[in-house]
């Protein structure tokens, strides 16, 4: 039958996971005896090449195939000609399954009415989920064979089912979080191939493209989901058109809404979530944003981020849209003049940087390495204090202290949620870390003015001074992504802009990260910092030790030393004979950056981008930025006006230091 087909031919092919037909293209035809049953390899349009599959002739719909030669699948034959699934064969299959030790499976991704394939009589047939039982451990899924009477319905387990919604239990033996598994409808609608490819990451599926495709598909939808994310000094709001409750596409709406809410949470912070929209979608999101849900990490983190660790994150569903609070922002004005004698510090994941500034001139600067994974907050306090004392000794007096740190810092200089203290126990964090900056300031210089903000925000403020213009996004590509934004007036928005916790890749197989402890895939942590390069080192032809080859266990911890050393090997390889191969690492990261920036532009008006950090150094950094520009020019011409700036040595040594030192105003 393959003689009727040709490579590149357009047709429809059954997708093994759900028994449905999708537009596809013939990739390869085989006449090998080994491929007798499944002689045709197809690519499903709009999906990744990893989903390509070898299929049988009866799994194809094509006018080129003779009608009398097509073997109709279960959905097309009549009840009169169908033979009931053979009981003996089923019993034999069950016995065979029990004889093999298989991993425990998670069925939480299955929902009533979902299509899949079920085995009977040694063959897989199109079927539909009737219900999923929590009591029936071995055979928890009741299915109905499409086209058959209900008398043939059967309870089955994973050994006789085919569906990508059925996944192994997580490594710790627990079930996948509710709403974490990407439904098939979402894969079909949200997985979009970028026009500008990521050379070493063919599965990269940008969130911004998913959002664009979804909004185009949903433009005629009458229903909408509205949410609000209130915080102490503001409120973020958003409205998303959604498909009608109960439809297959509604699953894609609910899945995307969860991601977009997560995105807004990490842009601005939130003490609660208020929803209005279709009941089933609202209930789904409510469950996702609860303990045991896909966004449990956000639910447990936000109270600490907001400085209210004793107040749980709550989700409220309201009946009237008028009950949704209005959007509100409170821009923050920071000092811009480093007059007098000032100290400043920057606390990164790898080192402590301290400076002394006198009348806008840097008179002392030093970087001191430290171990942020140390669980003892006294270690952190002593390390910062010692570094500041050395800087203090170079000044006749101290009039003010400015500082920056990764994570979130309150308007009262409280370290509400700083990930430079990742292993400090929660109770100890509350007692010894929250007021660490205030205590340090008093011990160093008494009651002088003190101002500490996020490190990305300092980058943005410093860039405003250098560029002499506003609407600046500052991105530090170091241990992770550190981001900050200054508006047209050169002031901060009052947002936390922890964009490293935002998802930029929807690939279901995207990497997890140690910061969210594996709760999410595709977060910026693994794309726009040094891990974006080190995870690609081996693929890019760089010779690295075995334990530097991602995903080796040594490269999957929160420690940064191995990644710093691996990045040095990448930078060195850019100078050697394999430079043409190694540059693909930077082209890939540049692709990440371009699509991430396009996504940021929906919420931040960006005219300038200041890039710094060790990933941006050298020739590789130039290649990365050229690729990011290419993405914007070819895929998002409306953002082609964005100007990229890089941090020269003067900016890194002086610009940021002065910006940090200038934060507090001397009265």
């Amino acid at each position: 039958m393959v003689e009727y087909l040709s490579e590149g031919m357009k047709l429809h092919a059954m997708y093994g996971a759900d028994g449905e037909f999708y537009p596809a293209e013939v990739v390869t035809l085989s006449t090998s005896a080994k491929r007798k049953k499944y002689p045709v390899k197809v690519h499903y349009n709009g999906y990744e090449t990893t989903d390509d599959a070898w299929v049988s002739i009866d799994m194809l719909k094509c006018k080129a195939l003779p009608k009398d030669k097509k073997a109709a699948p279960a959905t097309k034959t009549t009840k009169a000609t169908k033979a009931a699934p053979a009981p003996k064969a089923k019993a034999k299959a069950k016995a065979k399954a029990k004889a093999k030790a298989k991993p425990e499976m998670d069925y939480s991704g299955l929902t009533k009415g979902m299509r899949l394939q079920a085995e009977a009589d040694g063959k897989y047939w199109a079927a539909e989920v009737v219900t999923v039982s929590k009591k029936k451990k071995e055979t928890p899924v009741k299915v109905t064979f499409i086209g058959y009477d209900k008398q043939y319905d059967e309870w089955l387990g994973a050994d006789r089912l085919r569906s990508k919604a059925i996944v192994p239990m997580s490594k710790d033996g627990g079930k996948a979080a509710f709403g974490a598994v990407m439904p098939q409808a979402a894969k079909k609608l949200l997985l979009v191939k970028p026009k500008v490819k990521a050379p070493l990451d063919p599965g990269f599926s940008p969130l911004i493209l998913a959002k664009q495709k979804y909004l185009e598909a949903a433009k005629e939808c009458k229903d909408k989901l509205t949410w609000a994310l209130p915080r102490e000094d503001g409120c973020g709001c958003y409205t998303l058109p959604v498909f009608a409750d109960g439809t297959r596409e509604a699953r894609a709406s609910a899945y995307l809404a969860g991601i977009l809410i997560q995105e807004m949470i990490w842009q601005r912070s939130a003490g609660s979530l208020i929803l209005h929209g279709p009941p089933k979608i609202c209930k789904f999101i409510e469950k996702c944003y609860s303990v045991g849900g896909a966004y449990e990490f956000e639910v447990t983190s936000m109270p600490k981020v907001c400085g209210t660790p004793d107040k749980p994150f709550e989700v409220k569903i309201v009946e009237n849209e008028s009950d949704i609070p209005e959007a509100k922002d409170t821009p923050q004005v920071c000092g811009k003049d480093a007059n007098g004698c000032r100290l400043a510090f920057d606390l990164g994941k790898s080192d402590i940087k301290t400076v002394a500034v006198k009348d806008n001139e840097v008179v002392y600067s030093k970087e001191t390495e430290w171990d942020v994974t140390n669980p003892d907050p006294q270690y952190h306090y002593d390390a910062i204090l010692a570094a500041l004392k050395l800087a203090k000794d170079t000044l006749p007096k101290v009039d003010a202290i400015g500082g920056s740190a990764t994570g979130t810092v309150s308007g009262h200089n409280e370290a509400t949620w700083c990930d430079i203290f990742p292993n400090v126990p929660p109770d100890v964090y509350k007692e010894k870390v929250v007021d660490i900056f205030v205590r340090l300031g008093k011990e160093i210089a008494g009651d002088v003015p003190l101002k500490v903000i996020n490190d990305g925000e300092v980058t943005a403020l410093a860039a405003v001074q250098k560029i002499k213009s506003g609407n600046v996004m500052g991105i530090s590509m170091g241990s992770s992504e550190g981001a900050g934004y200054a508006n047209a007036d050169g002031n901060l928005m009052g947002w936390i802009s922890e964009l490293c916790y935002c998802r930029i890749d929807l690939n279901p197989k995207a990497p997890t990260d140690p910061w969210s402890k594996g709760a999410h895939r595709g977060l910026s942590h693994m794309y726009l910092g040094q891990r974006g390069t080190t995870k690609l080192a081996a693929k890019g032809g760089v010779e690295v030790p075995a334990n530097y080859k991602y995903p080796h266990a040594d490269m999957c911890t929160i420690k940064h030393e191995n990644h710093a050393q691996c990045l040095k090997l990448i930078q060195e390889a850019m100078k050697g004979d394999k430079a043409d191969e190694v540059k693909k690492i930077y082209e890939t990261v540049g692709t990440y950056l371009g699509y991430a920036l396009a996504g940021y532009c929906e919420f931040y008006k960006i005219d300038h981008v200041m890039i710094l950090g060790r990933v941006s150094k050298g020739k590789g950094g130039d290649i990365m930025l050229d690729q990011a520009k290419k993405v914007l020019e070819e895929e998002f011409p409306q953002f082609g006006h964005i100007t990229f700036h890089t941090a020269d040595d003067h900016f890194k040594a002086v610009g940021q230091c002065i910006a940090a030192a200038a934060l507090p105003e001397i009265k």
Side-chain angles (χ1 to χ4, degrees):
M1 295 296 290
V2 294
E3 63 268 20
Y4 293 98
L5 304 173
S6 60
E7 293 181 3
M9 182 177 285
K10 307 291 185 181
L11 38 65
H12 281 72
M14 182 187 289
Y15 187 56
D18 58 12
E20 295 198 35
F21 285 85
Y22 295 95
E25 182 178 309
V26 176
V27 177
T28 307
L29 299 170
S30 175
T31 56
S32 169
K34 293 182 179 180
R35 292 286 181 191
K36 186 176 181 181
K37 290 186 177 181
Y38 304 98
V40 185
K41 187 176 184 180
V42 298
H43 170 72
Y44 298 94
N45 297 346
Y47 290 86
E48 299 300 331
T49 55
T50 53
D51 290 319
D52 291 0
W54 288 93
V55 299
S56 58
I57 296 296
D58 64 347
M59 294 173 70
L60 299 173
K61 287 181 179 180
C62 180
K63 291 182 179 180
L65 293 171
K67 292 183 179 180
D68 60 339
K69 295 294 184 180
K70 292 179 186 176
T75 52
K76 292 297 179 182
T77 52
T78 64
K79 293 180 182 178
T81 60
K82 290 179 182 175
K88 289 184 179 179
K90 285 188 275 187
K92 185 177 181 180
K94 287 181 180 179
K96 184 177 181 181
K98 287 182 179 180
K100 294 183 177 181
K102 293 188 175 181
E104 190 175 357
M105 306 300 288
D106 176 15
Y107 300 90
S108 63
L110 296 179
T111 56
K112 182 179 179 181
M114 182 179 287
R115 293 289 186 92
L116 40 61
Q117 286 193 321
E119 185 272 333
D121 198 19
K123 293 178 62 178
Y124 279 87
W125 307 79
E128 189 174 287
V129 176
V130 176
T131 187
V132 180
S133 172
K134 294 181 179 180
K135 297 180 180 180
K136 298 173 71 68
K137 186 175 181 181
E138 297 297 326
T139 55
V141 185
K142 187 176 183 179
V143 302
T144 183
F145 292 90
I146 295 174
Y148 288 93
D149 294 332
K150 290 185 178 180
Q151 62 179 311
Y152 299 117
D153 290 1
E154 189 174 1
W155 289 95
L156 302 176
D159 57 307
R160 296 179 57 202
L161 296 171
R162 288 178 178 172
S163 172
K164 290 189 176 181
I166 303 174
V167 297
M169 289 287 191
S170 59
K171 292 181 180 180
D172 61 3
K175 292 181 66 175
F178 178 85
V181 177
M182 192 180 210
Q184 191 61 36
K187 289 182 180 179
K188 185 176 180 181
L189 196 55
L190 302 179
L191 296 182
V192 185
K193 291 183 177 180
K195 184 181 294 185
V196 179
K197 307 298 182 185
L200 299 180
D201 190 354
F204 178 53
S205 185
L207 171 61
I208 179 60
L209 297 184
K211 191 186 300 185
Q212 288 182 341
K213 182 180 178 182
Y214 173 88
L215 291 175
E216 177 62 26
K219 64 184 179 182
E220 302 297 332
C221 290
K222 296 181 180 179
D223 293 335
K224 60 182 180 179
L225 175 71
T226 301
W227 65 79
L229 293 164
R231 59 186 188 276
E232 182 182 7
D233 58 352
C235 182
C237 296
Y238 197 89
T239 297
L240 180 73
V242 294
F243 292 95
D245 256 351
T247 63
R248 179 170 302 201
E249 290 79 11
R251 300 171 192 166
S253 296
Y255 184 80
L256 179 61
I259 294 172
L260 299 185
I261 291 170
Q262 177 198 33
E263 178 181 53
M264 186 170 281
I265 281 176
W266 288 111
Q267 288 173 353
R268 314 173 193 208
S269 81
S272 63
L273 167 62
I274 303 174
L275 299 165
H276 170 74
K280 289 184 179 179
I281 293 179
C282 286
K283 285 291 184 183
F284 176 87
I285 294 172
E286 180 182 35
K287 194 170 180 180
C288 286
Y289 279 87
S290 62
V291 175
Y295 300 98
E296 179 178 340
F297 178 73
E298 281 67 29
V299 170
T300 56
S301 297
M302 277 301 116
K304 292 176 282 189
V305 171
C306 294
T308 55
D310 298 325
K311 184 180 180 182
F313 184 89
E314 296 180 341
V315 181
K316 182 180 180 181
I317 300 173
V318 297
E319 293 185 5
N320 301 311
E321 189 173 3
S322 59
D323 293 328
I324 294 287
E326 293 184 357
K328 177 187 175 183
D329 289 320
T330 307
Q332 298 178 1
V333 179
C334 295
K336 298 178 176 64
D337 183 9
N339 60 320
C341 296
R342 299 167 178 257
L343 294 177
F345 61 85
D346 173 51
L347 306 181
K349 295 183 177 75
S350 302
D351 55 56
I352 301 167
K353 185 171 186 177
T354 47
V355 297
V357 177
K358 186 177 181 180
D359 293 329
N360 292 290
E361 294 291 333
V362 175
V363 297
Y364 170 88
S365 176
K366 184 177 181 180
E367 293 182 4
T368 306
E369 292 186 358
W370 69 333
D371 179 14
V372 297
T373 64
N374 193 308
D376 182 6
Q378 192 61 43
Y379 161 82
H380 298 83
Y381 185 91
D382 292 342
I384 302 168
L385 182 65
L388 282 172
K389 282 183 175 179
L390 291 176
K392 178 184 177 181
D393 290 342
T394 65
L395 294 172
K397 61 177 181 176
V398 176
D399 296 317
I401 302 174
S404 64
T406 63
T408 58
V409 184
S410 76
H412 305 294
N413 301 310
E414 293 176 325
T416 53
W417 188 77
C418 292
D419 51 4
I420 48 174
F421 311 100
N423 295 328
V424 177
D427 56 333
V428 179
Y429 187 102
K430 182 178 179 181
E431 181 183 356
K432 299 289 187 180
V433 176
V434 171
D435 66 346
I436 192 170
F437 302 140
V438 176
R439 289 190 289 118
L440 282 165
K442 286 186 176 181
E443 182 161 349
I444 282 289
D447 293 323
V448 301
L450 170 71
K451 183 65 176 178
V452 185
I453 63 175
N454 174 270
D455 58 342
E457 293 174 327
V458 169
T459 299
L461 292 174
V464 168
Q465 297 300 311
K466 176 180 173 64
I467 299 168
K468 305 302 180 185
S469 180
N471 293 332
V472 177
M473 173 70 77
I475 297 179
S476 177
M477 302 176 70
S479 300
S480 178
E481 179 192 12
Y485 176 78
N487 63 17
D489 297 322
N491 295 322
L492 304 177
M493 294 286 290
W495 299 3
I496 61 172
S497 294
E498 284 292 331
L499 303 184
C500 53
Y501 286 94
C502 292
R503 195 166 178 181
I504 64 173
D505 184 6
L506 289 192
N507 181 359
K509 297 180 180 178
T512 58
D513 66 275
W515 287 276
S516 68
K517 297 178 173 60
H520 300 300
R521 292 182 179 276
L523 299 190
S524 174
H525 280 303
M526 300 298 292
Y527 294 78
L528 300 183
Q530 62 185 5
R531 292 174 195 242
T533 60
T534 59
K535 79 177 197 283
L536 302 171
K539 287 185 179 180
V542 181
E543 295 183 7
V544 295
N547 66 320
Y548 284 8
K549 294 181 180 179
Y550 182 84
H552 190 280
D554 289 353
M555 301 297 279
C556 296
T557 73
I558 205 165
K559 290 191 175 184
H560 308 290
E561 291 84 353
N562 287 345
H563 294 279
Q565 294 304 316
C566 185
L567 178 58
K568 290 179 180 178
L569 294 176
I570 294 172
Q571 292 169 334
E572 192 62 31
M574 277 296 295
K575 304 174 185 177
D577 298 336
K578 293 185 177 181
D580 287 342
E581 185 177 1
V582 178
K583 74 176 184 179
K584 292 179 181 179
I585 296 174
Y586 288 96
E587 290 174 346
T588 299
V589 177
T591 302
Y592 297 154
L593 178 60
Y595 284 98
L597 282 171
Y600 298 162
C601 284
E602 179 180 359
F603 302 100
Y604 302 85
K605 179 174 173 51
I606 302 174
D607 293 327
H608 301 273
V609 178
M610 172 62 76
I611 299 291
L612 66 159
R614 58 182 69 93
V615 175
S616 64
K617 290 181 178 179
K619 184 178 179 181
D622 295 335
I623 293 171
M624 177 186 73
L625 293 185
D626 287 342
Q627 186 79 352
K629 294 174 189 175
K630 180 180 178 181
V631 170
L632 296 180
E633 291 169 357
E634 296 188 13
E635 188 98 78
F636 309 98
Q638 68 271 33
F639 303 135
H641 69 280
I642 292 176
T643 303
F644 286 82
H645 305 264
T646 54
D648 54 27
D649 290 339
H650 182 268
F651 179 86
K652 288 181 287 186
V654 178
Q656 281 187 286
C657 300
I658 294 177
L663 290 173
E665 294 185 340
I666 301 175
K667 297 180 181 179

